[in-house]
Amino acid sequence: MKTPETTVPSRGIRVIGWIGAAALGLALGVLIGKSRESSTATDKSSPSATQDAATERLKLTQLASKKNPIDTAVSQRIRLAKDVELVGSVSYDADHFAQVGPLIAGRIVALEAGIGDTVKAGQVMAALESADVGQAQAAYLTARAAVMAAQANLRRERELAERRVSSVREKELAEAQAAIEEANLAAATQRLRALGVRPEDIKALERSGSGPGRVPLVSPIAGVVLTREVTLGQSVQPAQDAFRVADLSRLWVVLDLFEKDVAFVHKNQKVVLRTMVYPGKLFPARVAYVGQVVDEKTRTAQVRIEFDNPEGLFRPGQFVTATLIGDPARAQADVLAVPIKAVQTVEGKPLVFVAEPDGFFTRRSVELGITGGGMIEVLSGLKEGERVATDGGFLLKSELLR
């Protein structure tokens, strides 16, 4: 028996041919696309520097050097004093801050200043009515009348004594009585002053002949009213704070100084203040006081900066950072140093790029010391006279990490 032959229709042959051609075309397209992507990537990642991997030497191409020139500086021995970075806050100048309150119990009967008001020294901010003040004013008027009567009697006794009508003893008694009454008047005056009555109020009391039983609450300084703790008709007690006034044109900055840095800070030292409120702006000042006691808990001493604030840029409570500039005259010895901007950090370790005569830069790990005046001490890894990259050093670092 003959085995039947299998035949493939001509249409099936054509379909298979088309499928094969399509697959071949797709494969060629993928290969060509990858080749173009590889070529494009090669063009985009063309290095801007020549790198010697064995010695970690770098050299920028001529084009890169033209776009980003690298400046260098020579490592040298200088007298370097440490700058100290501190944090703190703005506070009132204690010599330009006042708490105003009653010196006697009473009731607020008038308010003439509120929070935010600008007041002058001696300006009345409130009036206090008190029975004690009324009694003191009455005592003053009584003492003043007694003095006037005693002085009139003394004048009369002296005239009689001159005409030998009155005895010397009567004149002496009149003199003694006048002295007693004058002492009583002085005591009554002092009592009024102690209660807060001003000299001009006493003069007004003498003219009127009667006391209103009121005493003013007066600002002792010129400044701004920060708080008002009383209201109209409120009863108050002695030593109760009614107002707080501060002259904000003169402020303090109080900084916390760690005991390890105490030796690097001194009075009149130059300071540069910075605040997040005005980023990039520097405010010069000087150290006014260095604390003589180290806090047992925080292990810090207080440093006080006093500065003028005429434009009101700083406010009490504001956070600030301060750089206390080291004084080279106080440095004990010369140290090897380079500009701070010459130091780069790779994997948490400091390094510099040392310039070679052939135009290459060699990576050099260094050990650093103190900083001051834009310079940083190099303890090891660099020799005096070697030239290091400063501006543009970051570009070398970028090429090193490629």
Side-chain angles (χ1 to χ4, degrees), residues 10 40 59 73 85 129 200 204 264 271 327 358 381 397 401:
S10 60
T40 303
K59 184 178 182 180
E85 297 286 340
E129 189 176 73
E200 55 266 37
F264 301 105
V271 180
D327 185 359
D358 57 1
K397 173 184 174 181
L401 298 177

Side-chain angles (χ1 to χ4, degrees), residues 69-247:
I70 297 179
D71 295 333
T72 60
V74 177
S75 59
Q76 55 185 324
R77 289 195 168 274
I78 62 173
R79 193 168 288 271
L80 184 63
K82 179 181 178 180
D83 290 348
V84 180
E85 297 286 340
L86 300 177
V87 296
S89 60
V90 179
S91 67
Y92 309 108
D93 186 332
D95 296 331
H96 296 78
F97 176 80
Q99 292 180 326
V100 181
L103 301 176
I104 194 171
R107 184 171 62 91
I108 301 295
V109 294
L111 288 171
E112 299 184 23
I115 297 176
D117 290 349
T118 299
V119 296
K120 299 178 180 180
Q123 181 174 330
V124 175
M125 296 189 293
L128 176 72
E129 189 176 73
S130 171
D132 292 337
V133 174
Q135 293 174 1
Q137 290 174 336
Y140 174 83
L141 292 174
T142 300
R144 183 168 180 269
V147 166
M148 295 173 64
Q151 289 177 344
N153 182 58
L154 177 58
R155 287 194 297 270
R156 184 170 57 253
E157 290 297 334
R158 284 176 176 171
E159 291 176 359
L160 293 174
E162 289 178 359
R163 290 185 292 175
R164 298 183 183 275
V165 174
S166 176
S167 66
V168 175
R169 176 175 173 75
E170 290 177 341
K171 185 189 74 168
E172 291 174 348
L173 289 174
E175 290 175 345
Q177 186 62 34
I180 292 173
E181 298 302 341
E182 289 175 355
N184 290 336
L185 178 61
T189 303
Q190 185 60 36
R191 171 65 175 164
L192 286 176
R193 299 289 290 123
L195 295 178
V197 179
R198 301 169 298 173
E200 55 266 37
D201 297 328
I202 296 176
K203 293 293 185 183
L205 176 63
E206 293 174 356
R207 291 192 298 269
S208 65
S210 63
R214 294 186 177 186
V215 61
L217 298 184
V218 177
S219 175
I221 63 171
V224 177
V225 179
L226 303 177
T227 62
R228 191 182 78 183
E229 304 296 338
V230 294
T231 57
L232 196 63
Q234 178 181 344
S235 296
V236 293
Q237 298 298 320
Q240 179 179 343
D241 287 341
F243 299 89
R244 291 185 180 182
V245 181
D247 179 4

